[in-house]
Amino acid sequence: MPPARPGPNLSRIATSLGVSVATVSNALSGKGRVSEQLAERIREHAAEMGYVPSQAARALRTGRSGVIGLVLPDIANPLFPKLAQAIEFAATSAGYGVLIADSRGNITAQTEAINRLVERGVEGLVIVPRRATRISAASCPVAVIDTASTPGNTVAADHWQGGRDIADHLAELGHKRILVIGNNPESNVQNDRVGGIRSGLRPDMQSSTLWVERLERENGMGCTLGLAEKVREGYTAFAALSDLQALRALTELQRDGIVVPDMASVTGFDDLIFSPVITPSLTTVAMDMATIADVAISSLLKTIQANGSREGVLVSADTDRVPMQLIVRQSSGPVDPTNRDPTNSDPSKLDLASQTENS
């Protein structure tokens, strides 16, 4: 099988038109002294020949690669492909390509990913940092997407407001005792969500927080969360800090004969792809990924244009948080007093092994 014929280069276009390579280069880049009539003729001829400009050559001429880097903490988490898609769309709309790296939740891998992308000539970086880590500026502008309480954060969902919306929703349904279910207490995002929920509690409401990672260190990965016992103690709502934890809670409750939402309500965060289609469909709080991506990319490119791509700086935006949207579905409902056991509602009976924290 004969080798594929390479696409036309500037020399072939110049030879076929009887002009210099410099003239072709100037016409295609819009620079130099080339008459509009000749420039149009060169562009049309180049298009007919199937000429595609070399990004590498353009980068050598201009010092601009036209590429930004995106570092995510865990591509396996269904939340982050949604964000990657939004970032890619915003960058493409601005004429930039995107290189993606996965830090796999490891601070060393995160640093290596940043360095690797910088070595490949990205003009700037968008980073969703590993939980509870600070991002120092690389040798190019960096936009951080995490939460407003993260030092150097550029823009993020308003996780605190999302937590308040969950608390308001559960209060309107008559819930008095709420168990918040999080994965890790070192996560800035999850702590802001917890803070928002607590700030939205009415005076007659109380909450405790179960950190799954702590529980699993004691009892093993995938251990039972003990939620049916919590229902017997008087908890009527389980406010998970992610849809993944909400799905785990929902599965365990249903397995143990707790009907959702008749006997207990479950809520989540992030509106992942499965949230509308599970049974019952999940009440959750959604991030406006498109707006977050647009703010991050536009702020990053503005900084690149102002400071150049080789200067390290943490990017700031006109707004650092984007409102979240409460989506009410079937997994949350009003409290049914007949399903409560008042003899077990004493807060002092909390299971200490579950690593809960009273608010």
Side-chain angles (χ1 to χ4, degrees):
M1 181 177 179
R5 183 180 180 184
N9 55 25
L10 298 185
S11 178
R12 288 178 57 198
I13 297 171
T15 299
S16 65
L17 288 175
V19 298
S20 69
V21 172
T23 299
V24 173
S25 176
N26 289 336
L28 295 178
S29 64
K31 298 179 180 179
R33 296 181 179 179
V34 182
S35 70
E36 181 56 35
Q37 182 178 5
L38 178 57
E40 181 63 24
R41 180 184 170 201
I42 291 172
R43 287 193 292 267
E44 289 180 355
H45 190 66
E48 291 171 358
M49 295 181 68
Y51 172 74
V52 177
S54 167
Q55 285 283 26
R58 178 177 294 176
L60 288 174
R61 291 196 310 271
T62 66
R64 296 288 180 88
S65 66
V67 177
I68 62 171
L70 173 62
V71 181
L72 298 172
D74 182 10
I75 292 178
N77 185 318
L79 171 66
F80 296 116
K82 290 177 61 177
L83 178 59
Q85 184 180 51
I87 291 290
E88 196 277 336
F89 182 81
T92 300
S93 299
Y96 276 73
V98 180
L99 292 177
I100 300 176
D102 183 2
S103 71
R104 304 183 300 280
N106 181 280
I107 185 62
T108 301
Q110 178 178 269
T111 302
E112 292 174 351
I114 292 171
N115 293 337
R116 190 166 58 250
L117 289 171
V118 170
E119 289 172 358
R120 280 162 173 71
V122 297
E123 294 186 40
L125 290 167
V126 178
I127 300 176
V128 182
R130 180 190 179 277
R131 61 193 178 204
T133 61
R134 296 183 177 219
I135 297 295
S136 59
S139 58
C140 64
V142 176
V144 177
I145 300 177
D146 197 35
T147 189
S149 63
T150 297
N153 186 72
T154 303
V155 65
D158 193 338
H159 300 286
W160 190 281
Q161 167 253 315
R164 283 191 63 91
D165 286 353
I166 288 290
D168 288 341
H169 174 62
L170 295 175
E172 291 170 0
L173 294 173
H175 295 278
K176 305 300 182 186
R177 297 193 67 193
I178 300 169
L179 183 68
V180 180
I181 303 174
N183 184 50
N184 188 283
E186 294 182 356
S187 165
N188 292 341
V189 168
Q190 293 202 16
N191 275 303
D192 279 4
R193 291 175 175 183
V194 173
I197 291 173
R198 290 175 175 170
S199 71
L201 297 179
R202 308 294 192 267
D204 60 345
M205 298 172 68
Q206 58 183 212
S207 72
S208 296
T209 303
L210 184 153
W211 294 109
V212 173
E213 196 166 276
R214 292 178 178 176
L215 186 64
E216 290 187 330
R217 279 202 300 266
E218 293 187 1
N219 301 326
M221 293 291 292
C223 65
T224 298
L225 303 181
L227 303 186
E229 178 61 27
K230 296 301 181 186
V231 173
R232 288 189 287 272
E233 290 174 3
Y235 287 93
T236 61
F238 298 91
L241 302 180
S242 73
D243 284 0
L244 290 173
Q245 298 298 338
L247 178 60
R248 180 172 178 176
L250 183 63
T251 301
E252 180 174 314
L253 288 167
Q254 292 177 323
R255 182 199 64 201
D256 292 340
I258 306 299
V259 180
V260 178
D262 297 349
M263 299 171 66
S265 289
V266 176
T267 63
F269 269 86
D270 299 329
D271 192 30
L272 298 182
I273 190 170
F274 59 78
S275 301
V277 297
I278 59 176
T279 302
S281 56
L282 186 62
T283 293
T284 187
V285 184
M287 287 191 271
D288 185 348
M289 293 291 198
T291 299
I292 292 170
D294 285 343
V295 172
I297 293 298
S298 62
S299 301
L300 179 63
L301 298 185
K302 186 183 300 182
T303 302
I304 290 171
Q305 292 162 6
N307 299 281
S309 61
R310 293 297 98 192
E311 182 176 341
V313 61
L314 291 175
V315 174
S316 60
D318 293 334
T319 178
D320 67 347
R321 65 201 74 190
V322 175
M324 301 190 81
Q325 178 187 5
L326 176 68
I327 302 175
V328 179
R329 296 194 179 104
Q330 299 168 343
S331 67
S332 59
V335 173
D336 182 354
T338 63
N339 285 327
R340 300 186 63 184
D341 183 356
T343 64
N344 286 322
S345 60
D346 183 353
S348 66
K349 296 182 179 179
L350 296 180
D351 178 10
L352 296 180
S354 69
Q355 297 287 346
T356 60
E357 297 176 354
N358 289 327
S359 60

